[in-house]
Amino acid sequence: TGKAQEKELCDLVTNDDLLLDMGAIRGFSGTRPMHQVQKKVQTVNNDKLLVIQSLGKDTYFQLPQFNVPEDYSVILLLNMYSPVDTHLQVYYKTEKDKKYSDDKSIRRTVRKGENSMCILIDSTNLFGRIRIDPATVTGKFLFRSINVFRFQR
């Protein structure tokens, strides 16, 4: 699935499809810092931001657990600020293969500044938590929102 097609899919999802809403109003409770990362939630102009301080080249955190209806895929909508050009990678597990791996991941280019990304995880029967590797470098990365929507083809 190309990025242009993913953007079109993001335009199709509605609040009725929302499975996980993390951002300015609800905050980021349940995110788990996992490796080479410091996490804090900071309020700026009455908005809550998830601040991820990357301490190495393999920083990652996990989203809270959420339930995906059977035979649905998910779409992640991420809004973040990056201090540098880098890459973000999203990993997921399935009922069949309960380990994170590169073949069950989606990699996106992140530009210095504001970034809005729509990422389709085109796999049904997801298992466990989604893992986000926000960068391949050290630095402070700010997430304004992370939303997960169900999607059925």
Side-chain angles (χ1 to χ4, degrees), residues 18 20-29 31 41-51 77-80 142-147:
L18 190 62
L20 182 65
D21 180 11
M22 304 184 86
I25 296 169
R26 292 203 169 92
F28 294 91
S29 64
T31 55
V41 176
Q42 183 175 322
T43 302
V44 177
N45 297 330
N46 293 325
D47 286 341
K48 290 182 178 130
L49 302 175
L50 175 62
V51 180
L77 189 55
L78 306 171
N79 290 294
M80 67 177 287
L142 308 176
F143 285 83
R144 297 187 187 291
S145 63
I146 302 172
N147 294 307

Side-chain angles (χ1 to χ4, degrees), residues 17-82:
D17 300 311
L18 190 62
L19 299 174
L20 182 65
D21 180 11
M22 304 184 86
I25 296 169
R26 292 203 169 92
F28 294 91
S29 64
T31 55
R32 256 190 211 167
M34 298 301 291
H35 189 252
Q36 295 182 343
V37 64
Q38 289 179 339
K39 168 201 136 177
K40 69 179 177 179
V41 176
Q42 183 175 322
T43 302
V44 177
N45 297 330
N46 293 325
D47 286 341
K48 290 182 178 130
L49 302 175
L50 175 62
V51 180
I52 296 293
Q53 180 70 50
S54 171
L55 304 174
K57 294 181 180 181
D58 191 25
T59 295
Y60 57 90
F61 66 96
Q62 292 177 327
L63 296 182
Q65 182 78 37
F66 57 89
N67 294 320
V68 181
E70 194 172 326
D71 297 326
Y72 276 80
S73 299
V74 299
I75 293 175
L76 271 69
L77 189 55
L78 306 171
N79 290 294
M80 67 177 287
Y81 171 84
S82 174

Side-chain angles (χ1 to χ4, degrees), residues 98-114:
K98 297 179 179 173
K99 294 182 181 174
Y100 296 118
S101 64
D102 279 340
D103 61 327
K104 290 190 313 302
S105 73
I106 297 119
R107 185 176 166 107
R108 291 290 180 263
T109 299
V110 174
R111 297 286 174 221
K112 180 180 179 178
E114 295 292 332

